[in-house]
Amino acid sequence: MASIIFLLKDLEDQGLDIGMLEIMVPKIGMEIERRDDTEIAIDVTPNRPDLMDFTGFVRALKALAPSLEGEKQGATIRKHVYKIENEPLANLHVNKNTKKIRPFIGMLIAKNADLGGGRLQYLLNFAEKLSDTLGRKRKKFAVGVYDFDKIKPDLFYDATQNAKFVPLGGNAEMSFSDILKRHEKGIKYRDVFNAAKGGKPLFPFLKDSEKILSLVPVINSEYAKVTENTKNLLLDVTGTSEQGVRQAVNIFACSFMDRGFEVYPVRIYSSGKTTTTPLLEHRQIKINARDAGKKLGIGIDSNDAARLLGMMGYSAEINGGNIIARIPEYRSDIFDRQDVIEDIAIAYGYGNIPPKPIQGSFEGRADRARELANELSGFMIGLGFSEAVNAYLTNEKINFENMQIDAGEKSRVSILNAKAEAVTMLRTDLLPGILSNLGASLAEKMPQKLFEIGSVFSLETGGEAHEQLRLAFASEHSRSNFAEIKSAIDSLLKLMDIEDIGFKEEKSNVFIEGRCAAAMSGNRKIGIFGELHPKVLRAFGIEEPAVAAEITIREKIEYQFSI
């Protein structure tokens, strides 16, 4: 969640009083964190970055409450496609030096801007908040804003080992290296350059025909500082994600148009190719109104669906029983029909959807695997372990890279069109989650002993997803060793009534060679355990030696271990 703060007076000027906000904010999926007599703090879900902008926030709430349409001055509610028909006002030349460190850049120019009355602060706050949340603390992308009237085109995006300029708020030149060592912003964001490896690092920068405009993405120069009197803006977005850069530029383009600014593209020359940004995507998705209503448990026709989509900022065309939903260009979270149907539900109001009883005549009974899991949980607690509960969703870095596992060798269930880098797949093993817990507990007393019982997921031949229940545990302290973990595994397998228990030496990048073994049931591998490899410990930030194990706990062993 991202917390944004708006002045109540500014919202009231848009026809949004506190009573309206208390009703509408939860309806659109946000929460009021706090409020006082002058301001309100709102938690915005990360899948709606456009709502962190004052203009986007007002636009969404006005659309959701049609009675406010046309009232007051401010953000308009567009029922048509956003278009940029102006010719480019500037050229940007991208040097190949940027390709390996921060390759992607997008730009736009906004003329006739009105930044008085707190509008400048809202703009800067939005740029900062977007860069730190969706932009992953400026690593994925970051936003820069400049006074275009102070700039002398053409523009150049390049990288160098060092250079000098006057940073924002300063009065003397500083070198890039000095900024990263001594300046507040440089110290905070110098880690964004970790991607530049091998030899001396290169630092990306933006300049016009005369002076440096910014050390990207750390700090802008004093030379092109934006004030409330600025009338014409240059906005750039740089990053390591092409999609993230494009989406951020589009969000700002739509916001500026809604404010009444004139938006102009920038022509970009890079690697022998010429493009212009922003590149607004005019996407549309077809849905069937009756099918949508059936999924939601409500009765709606095409006219109802079109009206509800209009309340979420769409423009919709009725074609018989189908709706052609034109997705707002500032919405980066809409991928398929299900997302459109979800917006219909939001506009309809989840509280207005009548509950229905679940029909069935089956008698419930305890699941044997769950009973065994509960029994094992009590056993682990008796051994001095604390139970951890981690999410099923994870990412390739935690699940594979930190564990020194080749991701190409393991099947996995990936998330299509993942909206966040932190959750891109379903976990294939439990240990990465437990080791993440240990790495986050450095301040706690030793020993640290954690276990988890939960599901892991894989893909079988033919692409069918497979779920399996497992137990994993780890012990971190200065005297942890193979004998400790072997003793615990031996006791566990006997408690589980596993037949024909055996152990054999195993090789795995997760564990130290010669201090790793596989737990066997006959000739089938049902688990692995040993002393964790130092590289794995470092990857998770674990400072003490640690031992760990992971085993399947189903009565019938159906899955071959592969970590």
Side-chain angles (χ1 to χ4, degrees), residues 21-41:
L21 291 170
E22 289 177 342
I23 296 172
M24 303 302 293
V25 168
K27 185 172 182 178
I28 207 167
M30 299 180 291
E31 294 181 4
I32 296 177
E33 182 183 283
R34 62 174 176 82
R35 70 176 180 89
D36 55 30
D37 293 337
T38 60
E39 64 183 29
I40 185 170

Side-chain angles (χ1 to χ4, degrees), residues 256-303:
F256 288 159
M257 282 188 273
D258 280 344
R259 293 187 190 201
F261 302 174
E262 296 178 19
V263 176
Y264 292 80
V266 173
R267 185 179 291 110
I268 300 176
Y269 298 95
S270 177
S271 302
K273 298 180 181 179
T274 303
T275 58
T276 59
T277 63
L279 293 173
L280 295 176
E281 297 177 291
H282 307 303
R283 298 178 297 143
Q284 59 186 35
I285 293 176
K286 183 170 72 172
I287 67 167
N288 182 275
R290 179 176 293 181
D291 289 345
K294 186 176 180 180
K295 287 179 180 293
L296 298 175
I298 58 178
I300 57 173
D301 59 21
S302 296
N303 289 322

Side-chain angles (χ1 to χ4, degrees), residues 318-373:
I318 300 175
N319 183 7
N322 295 322
I323 300 291
I324 308 298
R326 295 186 175 87
I327 301 165
E329 286 75 10
Y330 52 83
R331 292 288 298 274
S332 59
D333 61 310
I334 305 298
F335 297 101
D336 56 29
R337 293 173 58 254
Q338 300 304 319
D339 296 318
V340 178
I341 293 173
E342 180 185 14
D343 276 349
I344 290 176
I346 292 172
Y348 189 86
Y350 283 106
N352 298 323
I353 299 175
K356 292 183 178 180
I358 299 175
Q359 301 296 327
S361 58
F362 297 101
E363 181 180 347
R365 59 183 180 272
D367 177 73
R368 171 56 189 152
R370 178 46 56 187
E371 286 183 335
L372 180 57

